[in-house]
Amino acid sequence: MNMESEFNIESFDIKLDTEIIGRNFIYSEEVSSTNSLLIDKSSGNIHGTTLLAEKQSKGHGRKERIWYSAKGLNLTFSILLTDKKYFSKKINLINFVSALAVALSIENLYQLKTELKWPNDVLINGKKVSGVLIESASRGEKIERIVIGIGLNVNQNVFQGNFNITPTSLKNESKQNIERETLLAELLNVFEEILEYVLTNPKWILKEWKDRCRMIGEKISISEDDKVKYGIFDDIDEDGFLILKTDKRTEKIYFGDVSTA
Ligand code: BTN
């Protein structure tokens, strides 16, 4: 049975151990989309602002797919980054940091084995438990703000609809009810710690990410719009792009849905 329980901000706050991320915390019963609200300048400029919503009427994922999440059971939230020091050539690694923060917090708290799927899905036992959507707002060529949107299935146990990858939740995989406050605090703690590695230790990010990616070395297909490419998933380069080896050449892939061929 799905048991909604109110998010307790106080108990989240006690466990939050960050300096900046999540310190400006906004909790909302219902919004259109946490990403859409934070990408809008009128939500302010405070770096690290985190907006958690119990329900989104227009929650979306990559490629404008709808992100379904039952009210009050999961974590659907966004983190705003406005500190320009992160908006460098390595900006793509923020994708990896975000998915890794989800994976590491799950591993730390529930001893579940996670798998990462390029570019930013988190899987458990081959099923999708979390997705990350990063959006940015620019003025001219310059990025002004980045919003990291994370949808994490926590205590929902039934999923209806058509999905690209079968969904699951932490409750389904761990057979226990999960305390959302502890999980969100841990996730933001880890996120703040490893976000710094974009600047100081990008190799660590790539290594940890690749250690959890089972598709490297496999035959894959990548679809982007109506084009499909086949080849071997050779590697991830230092900027986070996928290196695909086809019969004829080696290609750098920037976007797409990857499946084993
Ligand atoms: C994906 O798997 O394609 C990414 C899903 C991202 C969903 C989250 S939920 C919180 C934030 N707000 C949104 O509208 N989307 C992201």
Side-chain angles (χ1 to χ4, degrees):
M1 199 175 56
N2 280 330
M3 286 279 286
E4 249 185 70
S5 78
E6 203 158 293
F7 188 86
N8 185 321
I9 298 177
E10 243 172 62
S11 89
F12 157 72
D13 201 48
I14 292 166
K15 288 165 182 141
L16 188 68
D17 198 21
T18 57
E19 252 176 64
I20 297 164
I21 303 295
R23 287 292 156 198
N24 184 33
F25 184 73
I26 309 163
Y27 172 83
S28 190
E29 281 289 330
E30 183 168 344
V31 299
S32 53
S33 147
T34 56
N35 264 34
S36 308
L37 286 186
L38 285 192
I39 206 76
D40 195 306
K41 271 195 200 150
S42 64
S43 65
N45 276 321
I46 302 175
H47 179 74
T49 296
T50 301
L51 167 60
L52 171 73
E54 293 293 13
K55 186 175 177 346
Q56 300 182 107
S57 55
K58 290 204 174 101
H60 52 274
R62 290 194 310 119
K63 301 192 173 181
E64 287 161 36
R65 291 178 183 134
I66 297 171
W67 182 261
Y68 295 100
S69 180
K71 186 176 180 190
L73 292 172
N74 301 317
L75 289 172
T76 46
F77 65 100
S78 300
I79 307 166
L80 172 69
L81 301 185
T82 53
D83 187 336
K84 308 256 184 340
K85 71 180 178 192
Y86 299 106
F87 307 169
S88 66
K89 199 175 155 265
K90 297 267 176 242
I91 197 162
N92 240 316
L93 293 186
I94 295 177
N95 262 314
F96 287 66
V97 162
S98 310
L100 255 180
V102 174
L104 289 167
S105 56
I106 293 172
E107 291 169 15
N108 294 347
L109 292 172
Y110 316 112
Q111 288 76 48
L112 288 165
K113 206 165 153 30
T114 62
E115 185 190 332
L116 297 176
K117 185 170 177 291
W118 189 86
N120 42 20
D121 290 335
V122 184
L123 278 60
I124 299 177
N125 293 322
K127 288 167 273 175
K128 179 160 165 172
V129 74
S130 175
V132 178
L133 175 69
I134 300 198
E135 296 183 278
S136 62
S138 309
R139 181 187 273 189
E141 296 269 275
K142 281 212 168 112
I143 296 182
E144 298 254 282
R145 54 210 283 132
I146 285 191
V147 173
I148 300 156
I150 300 181
L152 174 51
N153 299 329
V154 183
N155 286 320
Q156 182 173 343
N157 33 28
V158 186
F159 296 88
Q160 269 153 357
N162 283 324
F163 299 93
N164 236 8
I165 313 171
T166 310
T168 191
S169 67
L170 292 176
K171 184 177 180 181
N172 283 354
E173 299 306 316
S174 68
K175 312 281 179 252
Q176 55 173 311
N177 239 318
I178 303 288
E179 214 185 81
R180 293 186 297 153
E181 297 79 359
T182 309
L183 175 57
L184 182 59
E186 175 70 9
L187 202 159
L188 297 180
N189 293 343
V190 173
F191 177 81
E192 180 169 283
E193 192 187 328
I194 69 175
L195 179 63
E196 284 318 294
Y197 295 167
V198 171
L199 309 173
T200 60
N201 197 353
K203 283 201 173 119
W204 182 91
I205 298 171
L206 289 168
K207 182 186 176 299
E208 290 295 315
W209 192 91
K210 285 199 248 177
D211 280 353
R212 291 169 178 78
C213 175
R214 302 233 186 98
M215 284 190 188
I216 296 181
E218 300 273 310
K219 271 192 189 163
I220 56 162
S221 63
I222 299 181
S223 53
E224 172 65 7
D225 299 328
D226 47 7
K227 279 187 229 123
V228 186
K229 288 179 178 168
Y230 296 90
I232 306 275
F233 187 154
D234 189 45
D235 204 357
I236 294 288
D237 76 0
E238 55 182 24
D239 300 319
F241 298 119
L242 189 154
I243 308 295
L244 184 75
K245 256 193 185 160
T246 64
D247 291 345
K248 296 181 194 97
R249 57 198 160 116
T250 301
E251 269 188 66
K252 213 182 246 202
I253 308 287
Y254 299 93
F255 313 100
D257 282 329
V258 178
S259 325
T260 37

